Amino acid sequence: MKTFCGRANPTSGALDWVEESEEYDYHQEIARSCYADMLHDHDRNVKYYQGIRAAVARVKARGEKVIVLDIGTGTGLLSMMAVTAGADFCYAVEVFKPMAEAAQCIVEKNGFSEKIKIINRHSTDVTVGPDGDMQMKANVLITELFDTELIGEGALPSYEHAHQNLVQEGCEAVPHRATVYAQLVESELLWSWAQLQPVEVEGARLAPLPDVSRCAGAHSVCDIQLSQVSPLSFTPLSPLCTMFSVDFSKPVSSAFRSHSSQFVAQSGGRAQVVLSWWDLDMDPSGSIVCTMAPSWTYPQPKMAPWRDHWMQSVYFLSVERQVTEGEELSLTVCHDDYSLWYSLRSHSQQDPQTDALPSRPCCTCQAHLVWTRPRFGELNDRRRTENYVSALRSVLREDSVCLGVSDGSLLPVFAHMLGAKKVYSLESSRMSKQVIEQMLEANSMKGGVELLEIRPEQLTTNDLGAEQISVLMGEPYFSTSLLPWHSLFFWYCRTALAGLLRPDATILPCSASLHMMAVEFQDLWRIRAPCGTCEGFDVTPMDEMVQRSLDFHESREAEPHPLWEYPCRALTQSAEVMTFDFTQCLPQRPISCQGSLPFIRMGRCHGVALWMEYHLTDDITVSAGLIGPISEQGECEWSRHRKQGVYFLRSPWESSGDGRAAVSYSFTFEPTSGDIKMDFSIESQ
C-alpha cells in the first residue's frame, strides 16, 4: 500500500506530494543519524569498554552473576562489550524498531545472540518477572542516553524508572557519574546570536525592540563545536565552575533541581553568555574519564578527541549585566527533566527567603521564534549590512516603489530610511509581520513600510495602490531553506511578480551563483565513513544491509553543514559553476553545466563544498560561503550565518596535488521541481 504526504518545496514554494510506501527505508534515517560518528569515536568506545570491564569485574568479585541492562543500545555495541568483558547475560533495550532490528542482526553476526536479548520497547515499558521482558533485575546498568545538554534525551526519567523497577539496589552503573561545568564569559560574537544590535543607516540609528533586549530568548540549547570558537573571541569572567553531578548508581530524580556555584569575578566586563559542557566518570574512582571539554582547554589542543554526537552548549543570560573584577557572584543552573538554564546574581544581594529561581526561558518578544540564532548573527553583521545599504543606495530614487521578498528582513526598513517613496514587504507569517511592525513602531516609522501577509502569486496592483514596483529586493533569506540553493525561491517569487514590475525595474540581488571546490575535512568525514568495524573495540557492528544504508552516498545528495564548525582544506580552486539571472524570469527548460577542477594541493579528498553568492549589483557581492581568500595551505574561512552544502564522495581520493587528477562535475537545475541534480567523479590523466 502506498500513501502520499504533502511537503512544501523550499525552492519552488509549491506543495509537492511525495510517495511514501510501507517499505520506506528507515535505514536511511539511521544513516543520517549519529551512529557512524559514535562508532568512529575511539575515545568514547575505549572509555566505555574500560568502564564496563571494571564494573563486570567488581560484580564478579562479589561472587554474583553479572546481569546487564543496556538502555538505548543502538547498534548493540555496549551490550557486546559487556558480554566480551564476562557478563553472564545482557538485556539490550532499543525503542526505535529499525535500529532494534539492525542490532539483532549485528548481535547475531558477532556470535552474541545467546547472551544478549534485544528488547524493542521504551525502557519505561519494560517489565521484570517470569512472563516479563527481563527474567530478573540487573546488577549492572549501562546507558548512552546523553546529548549535548546531557539530559535532553530523557536520561533522568529513564534512570529514575530503571532504579525503581529494573535494577537491583546498589547496582553498578556505567557511566558511574556525570558532572556539568560552566564558565561565565563576555563575547560580542556569541551575544550577537541572542540579541539584535542597533544598526546605523545614513547617520540614522535603527534601535532594536525593547522587548527583545528584555527577553529570555529561545528555550532550546545552542549546541556548537565550541572548539571552533577562538578563545580570543570571548573574555572569561569566572573560573570554570563545577555546577552539579549525578550519580547514576543510585536512585535518580527527574524533578526540578537548582544548583549554585559562588565565585569571585576574575575580570570586569559584561556578563552575557555561559559556556557549558560535561564529563562522564566511567568508574567510581573517577580514573576513567570521558570529557566533552573543548580543545582549547587541553594543553595540546590537537590531542582533543573530536565528536559530533556530543558537542558543547552555549546559554544566553536573559539580560546582560556589568560585573567588576573581584565582585562576588553566584551562577545558578536549574534543570527540569529535559533542559538546563542559567542565571547570575550578586552573592551579596542573595536572600534565600525572597529570591525566586528563574523559570525555564521562554521567548516573549516573538523575535526569537522568527529569527534563528545564526539569523540574529546575520542581522548583526555590520559589514554585511553595509553592503546591502550601499547596494540599496545605488538603486533607489525619490520615486522608487520597493517590494521586499524575504522572511523577517530589515531591507524594507533600510529602503524606507534611505528615502524610497513607498515600501512594501511580503511576510511569510503573521509572527514575522508582527515583529517587523513592532520594530517600525519602536523607531517611530509606523506606516513607513506596508507589510503584506500574502503569497507573491496572490499579490495584485490593488495591494500596491495601483502602482508598479520599481525595486524588487531580497537578501534572499527564507526560513524554510536548508540547502544553499533553496534561496532560489526568490527567483520563483520574482517570476510570479513579473506582471507587477515596471519595465525598467531593478532586481536586487540581480543574480546568484553556485560555487564549489573539492575539500579535505579535518574531522567531518567521520559522520559518513564506512562502519565495517568499530574503533576501540574488535567487533563488526554493521551487517551488510545496514552497512549499505549507512553508506549515505547511495542517495547521491548534498547535505547542509555549517562549515565554520568543521574545518577543511581546499584541494582545488573554488569555482563558479552556475549562474542564476534574477533580472529574467525563471526559464522553462533545465539549466545544465559540466566541467572539471584540477587538484592543486596534496591531501585526501572527502567531498565537495557548495555555497551560494548573491550579486546585489554589478560590483557588490555577498557570500554565504567562503568569506575570505584561501590560504596557501588551503585553509578556508566560512560564513557563520548560513549552512553550506556538502557532497561526500563514495570513497576518499588521495590527491598528489600535481594537477594530473581533477574532480569532474555535472549540475542540472530543474525549474519545475526546484532541484539541483549533481554528480561528481575523479578523473586521472
Side-chain angles (χ1 to χ4, degrees), residues 490-508:
F490 179 78
W491 206 2
Y492 289 80
C493 295
R494 178 259 183 271
T495 303
L497 295 165
L500 303 178
L501 302 178
R502 291 182 186 173
D504 60 345
T506 297
I507 313 297
L508 188 157

Side-chain angles (χ1 to χ4, degrees), residues 51-236:
I52 288 169
R53 283 191 303 178
V56 169
R58 289 194 297 272
V59 175
K60 283 187 172 293
R62 299 197 293 263
E64 302 175 19
K65 280 191 172 183
V66 180
I67 308 300
V68 174
L69 172 62
D70 174 10
I71 299 178
T73 194
T75 62
L77 176 62
L78 301 186
S79 293
M80 291 187 287
M81 287 182 177
V83 173
T84 301
D88 294 282
F89 198 81
C90 183
Y91 297 100
V93 181
E94 174 57 50
V95 67
F96 184 39
K97 185 177 180 181
M99 197 67 245
E101 292 173 349
Q104 185 67 55
C105 294
I106 293 165
V107 165
E108 291 175 359
K109 182 173 182 177
N110 286 276
F112 293 105
S113 56
E114 291 186 2
K115 288 194 172 185
I116 298 176
K117 179 183 179 181
I118 305 296
I119 303 172
N120 180 209
R121 292 180 184 271
H122 194 285
S123 66
T124 55
D125 295 325
V126 172
T127 57
V128 178
D131 299 322
D133 302 299
M134 300 170 59
Q135 294 297 300
M136 64 189 75
K137 289 187 176 182
N139 52 14
V140 176
L141 175 59
I142 301 173
T143 63
E144 208 282 51
L145 298 171
F146 314 113
D147 69 347
T148 294
E149 205 171 13
L150 182 67
I151 65 173
E153 291 185 1
L156 296 182
S158 296
Y159 271 112
E160 186 174 45
H161 176 269
H163 277 287
Q164 292 172 352
N165 301 279
L166 306 178
V167 298
Q168 300 173 19
E169 185 178 352
C171 73
E172 300 287 343
V174 183
H176 180 80
R177 81 174 62 82
T179 303
V180 174
Y181 303 93
Q183 186 169 39
L184 181 70
V185 304
E186 173 186 351
S187 173
E188 181 179 350
L189 168 65
L190 299 178
W191 191 241
S192 72
W193 299 347
Q195 299 288 348
L196 195 63
Q197 306 301 320
V199 181
E200 297 291 333
V201 179
E202 297 289 278
R205 184 175 184 270
L206 181 66
L209 285 169
D211 288 348
V212 176
S213 61
R214 295 190 295 263
C215 180
H219 70 271
S220 59
V221 65
C222 176
D223 55 340
I224 62 171
Q225 291 283 358
L226 201 53
S227 296
Q228 299 308 314
V229 176
S230 168
L232 298 176
S233 64
F234 61 85
T235 302

Side-chain angles (χ1 to χ4, degrees), residues 22 44 50 65 95 114 127 143 161 295 323 333 368 403 445 460 587 653:
E22 291 182 349
R44 164 194 178 270
Q50 291 174 344
K65 280 191 172 183
V95 67
E114 291 186 2
T127 57
T143 63
H161 176 269
S295 62
V323 300
V333 61
H368 296 93
L403 176 65
M445 298 181 191
T460 68
W653 172 266

Side-chain angles (χ1 to χ4, degrees), residues 448-477:
V449 178
E450 188 169 338
L451 305 173
L452 305 171
E453 189 185 344
I454 189 172
R455 292 182 60 83
E457 65 270 18
Q458 297 172 332
L459 194 69
T460 68
T461 54
N462 290 334
D463 299 308
L464 303 175
E467 296 198 73
Q468 286 189 303
I469 301 163
S470 56
V471 177
L472 178 65
M473 56 191 174
E475 301 191 36
Y477 170 84

Side-chain angles (χ1 to χ4, degrees), residues 357-430:
L357 290 168
S359 58
R360 178 176 173 171
C362 179
C363 176
T364 55
C365 70
Q366 295 188 341
H368 296 93
L369 305 179
V370 170
W371 296 321
T372 63
R373 293 184 178 104
R375 178 62 171 159
F376 267 99
E378 189 168 50
L379 294 172
N380 286 324
D381 187 330
R382 295 185 186 91
R383 181 176 298 178
R384 180 179 178 278
T385 296
E386 288 170 2
N387 281 329
Y388 277 97
V389 170
S390 295
L392 281 171
R393 187 191 303 115
S394 70
V395 302
L396 289 179
R397 304 291 181 265
E398 290 183 359
D399 63 345
S400 291
V401 177
C402 304
L403 176 65
V405 181
S406 283
D407 290 350
S409 175
L410 298 182
L411 288 193
V413 183
F414 297 161
H416 170 69
M417 296 174 74
L418 290 168
K421 172 187 172 184
K422 187 64 181 176
V423 182
Y424 299 90
S425 178
L426 297 186
E427 294 297 335
S428 62
S429 70
R430 182 155 301 176

